[in-house]
Amino acid sequence: MNLPVLKAADFASDQDIRWCPGCGDYSILAQMKKVLPELGIARENTVFVSGIGCSSRFPYYMNTYGMHSIHGRAPTFATGLKSTRPDLSVWVITGDGDALSIGGNHFIHVLRRNLDINIVLFNNRIYGLTKGQYSPTSEEGQVTKSTPMGSIDHPLNPLSVAIAAEATFVARSLDAHVKHLADTLKRAAAHKGTSLVEVYQNCNVFNDGAMAYAQEKSQRLENTIELEHGKPLIFGTDRDKGIRQVGTQLEVVNLKDVAEDDLLFHDEKAMDPSLHFLLSRMRHPVMPEPIGVFRDVEGVATYDEQINGQVAAAKAKHGNGDLNALFNSGDTWEVAS
Amino acid sequence: MSVQPEGQLIADKEISEVDGITVRLAGDSGDGMQLLGTQLTNTSALLGNDVATFPDFPAEIRAPRGTRAGVSGFQVQFANSEIFTPGDTLDALVVMNPAAMVTNIADLRRGGLLIVNEDGFDAKSLKLAALTEDPVTEEIEDRYRVFKVPMTKLTRDAVKELGLGMKEADRCKNFFAMGLVYWLFGRSLEPTLRFIENKFGKKLPDVAAANEKSLRAGWAFGETTETFGITYRVAPAKLKPGTYKNMMGNQALAWGLLAAGKRSGKDVFYSGYPITPASDILHELSRYKHFGVRTFQAEDEISACCAAIGAAFGGAMAVTASSGPGIALKAEAMGLGFILELPLIVINVQRGGPSTGLPTKTEQSDLLQAMFNRNGESPLPVIAAQSPGDCFDAAQEAWRIAVKFMTPVILLSDGYIANGSEPWKVPDANQMEPIVVTHPPDAAEGDAPFMPYARNENLARPWAIPGTAGLMHRVGGLEKADGSGAVSYDPDNHQLMTDKRAAKIEGIANDIPLQEVFGEESGDVLVISWGGTYGSCHTAIDRCQREGLSVSHAHIRYMNPMPRNLGDLMRSFRKVLVPELNSGQLRMLLRAKYLVDCIGFNKVKGKPFSVTELMDQIHSIAEKPNLNGKQVD
């Protein structure tokens, strides 16, 4: 079959984009439009589903099918859609407030069910659309409109939650690191099962620079660590530092003192999520924060394949449902004329 | 129980032909009363009687044993003519313990049969029922025909040779009671023997044998002892010719959904979160995956509703169901479904409220919730099922409207309908008309841009589904521009779209039948009812008409929009009476819409209306019949 060769521009809808100038969302939108043509999936077979928030306007800007739904529930709409239409490529676009606060419940359940969809979680650690309240990922003590004396909530770590729910694909990327972002989105699309990509995304209006330690090129090499399957965990501007596992803890070591072979080697394919969980606990400023694919395990049945598999199995066993046979089943009696 | 004078004698027992019998079986919630009642119902239905049932049980799975709070009851009326209710007063009451007796005796008619499990009336049971002395007093013996049967002991004797433990043996006493009841009312043992074999035969042969022996022992006890001098017979009812089966409301609803799916060539996607009394729809549908049914037990009510909308966007026949508190949670998603203009069925099997309320008892107090429980201007079509068998038709009608008008439709049932049962005339699937569903096809090169919010003659927008080339579009909760569906904050457009959506729903009135009337189309009193009170109201009005009262009955199925002739109909009567199992919700809607005063008759006791109380109410407002030259039955 000869599919027409599409370009990024073919995925742009005719709608005016209404994000603030300088918003990190533009970069994610651009990388998505760049990646989608490379996947070879027709536009009409691609659906974006979102909740509420700045990020959730995303579907309006894509020339695919789309549904802008209600607060936090995008994973549930995607569940109904993908369960009945496993032929579609379904993307959930969500933010930290949408996915982790009002939608926390659905976030956990879609991950544990392993529905074959892709979730892109824009994390700017603030409520943007409602103008600047703290979010579930805001740091303790953060002063916002609703927390003038500082936030007293302990922040939620979305990747820890996802890994605890045994999500089969978990990754993190950055809006500012466009190549890394495009590669990560592509890997997510290739994964069979729920894939979660957390994207650190700057809100230049309400939380500017909250993740500058990871976003700024000058700081990134010191404060983040790029995960690569089968490779030791090494970081630093001069690649002179590494991560070593001691018991149930991870620690930063200097490569002058420790041999590469004694470092932690990344295994994204491990079925046991324990080490992936440990990686998700690495937080700035104590540790460099991992970016890349934490976990990509294969062979776990997906929800959509199972729900449709049961239908196929039932049809194979009982034949296609016949209403007359059903109506006349069990005890019946005749009333003569 | 109108005993015919010409009672005949067979052997040493008198057989009395009666028109109908209402019997209630009551015991501890662990005693198997629901099973007993279901078997008696099925057996009676198979004998050709018309049947109507009313199961009544505590909300707790095992309420404290032997207490009044733990009493579980099952009432069934079987008759030789068409009936519409499980009966008001009881002809016979079977009680397994003192608590069951004291909580039910008030409903037994004077002279009725009271069958007591004597062994259940020991000192301990009296204490559990908060009684200081045996409730079977001389006064009781004078008032009713009391039969004391040592059921527990007789059951133990019957199963002795099987070597069961005492506890296992005692568990069979409901089958003993069943055997006795079957003998008393001339019911065949065959269907229940078949049931025992199917349920326990292979897996638990000991249990099967014990149940069978107990059942037969109960029958033999009636046949051989001198205790009962009489036995009763109810002839088959003269129903319309055809094949029948006994049907419960929730089962009929599930089957109606299957039929709607087949009629429209759609696979059903059903999502729900467990809640009484709606859960049985999920249980039933999940057995029919070979019909293409996908069932999703969601993490909560919100998820259930949203998943259904997701499935609808993809082109499936999407359904979600719950009871009042769960519907409250679905409200925001229902509003989204309304603005997305996608077809969806939302079923509310109502129960006593507010909040958790009375989870196992019936009420019709979610009508205003169905009408208004969404933000913004968001009217939805609402239809109400009227009886267990009617759920089958109501479910299909809901789907017909949903796809024709591209809108969520609310379908109201209630606990009384859901758990009750009645004979259901088996339809012929080949005679069912298709429900036409169209999806626009792939766009061709050079076609005009697709307009997802263009409207047809019904004001419905096209159901374009993902996978269709050239029709890519975005739906969402933000207001959409007329036609193009682009996000629009234009004030005039919002007014226009609000008006169009409302007009679309109002236009459904042109697609539904005019309101039918039972009785004259004008006169003294019009009784307007809806939902599960149909049977009691119909029976009460039928009897009042026979007494010569000028009273007619309009039972509304279409709650929104209402039938076009309803207002004129109301104005054609001197008085309008609206009985409801709530504090006056339909009455409020009728008054507001038609500016016609209505008299309410309202009850929220977790119980259905009795025919008697409805008749009393009608009598209290009706003009006495003019008997000049007119014969009154």
Side-chain angles (χ1 to χ4, degrees), chain B residues 338-339 375-378 455 477-482 486-502:
Chain B
F338 174 72
I339 194 172
N375 68 298
E377 293 286 331
S378 47
R455 294 176 190 279
L478 290 172
E479 183 61 282
K480 297 290 175 285
D482 185 30
V487 173
S488 169
Y489 301 107
D490 175 49
D492 291 335
N493 178 72
H494 182 50
Q495 181 79 54
L496 181 74
M497 291 297 271
T498 301
D499 293 346
K500 281 197 174 183
R501 287 187 292 257

Side-chain angles (χ1 to χ4, degrees), chain B residues 48 67 82 148 215 237 293 339 357 362 442 486 505 552 558 593 612 633:
Chain B
T67 64
E82 204 177 0
K148 295 181 185 174
L215 181 71
V293 176
I339 194 172
T362 201
D442 289 348
I505 303 301
S552 297
Y558 300 91
K593 192 168 164 76
T612 321
D633 293 341

